[in-house]
Amino acid sequence: MADSHGSPTLQDLQDAIKKRASEDEAFRAELLADPRRALDRATGKAVPPGVDIQVEDGPANEVGVTLTPKSSGELSDEELSGVSGGQTQDESVIINWLNQTFSFLGG
């Protein structure tokens, strides 16, 4: 489901990763073993350092994928100044990476 601007959302990316993992056993195995490396290789672009990746092995060859901005709990003054439309700089990093990589994942 694209956002109001027609851009893919974080959920779209997570769904594309799950779909690819269900169709490509080698990708699934690498995703479970080393998620960051698997996504770097699959997209041809490095996952930004501010992105936390959690992958869980599920039933019926399904994986659960969660991408979130890393957070120290409190925002610095610089981060507070970067909050725009409810989006932190770290969330913006994910969205920028998403827009650059979504097509590589079949989205």
Side-chain angles (χ1 to χ4, degrees):
M1 171 189 303
D3 68 12
S4 61
H5 302 304
S7 298
T9 65
L10 187 55
Q11 185 63 50
D12 292 332
L13 177 61
Q14 292 172 163
D15 290 345
I17 294 168
K18 290 177 191 179
K19 182 175 188 271
R20 176 142 180 205
S22 72
E23 297 170 349
D24 181 341
E25 186 60 36
F27 174 71
R28 181 181 187 278
E30 186 173 21
L31 184 66
L32 290 168
D34 188 344
R36 186 168 296 276
R37 181 170 180 236
L39 293 176
D40 287 352
R41 288 171 44 119
T43 63
K45 301 234 181 230
V47 176
V51 177
D52 184 40
I53 307 166
Q54 297 177 1
V55 179
E56 296 179 10
D57 197 3
N61 203 36
E62 292 182 6
V63 295
V65 178
T66 306
L67 303 171
T68 55
K70 290 183 179 178
S71 174
S72 62
E74 292 186 26
L75 297 176
S76 67
D77 289 339
E78 181 180 325
E79 289 171 322
L80 283 171
S81 68
V83 174
S84 169
Q87 198 175 77
T88 67
Q89 286 180 340
D90 284 342
E91 288 169 332
S92 295
V93 167
I94 294 175
I95 298 303
N96 288 335
W97 178 75
L98 164 65
N99 287 325
Q100 294 173 2
T101 61
F102 188 64
S103 62
F104 286 97
L105 293 166

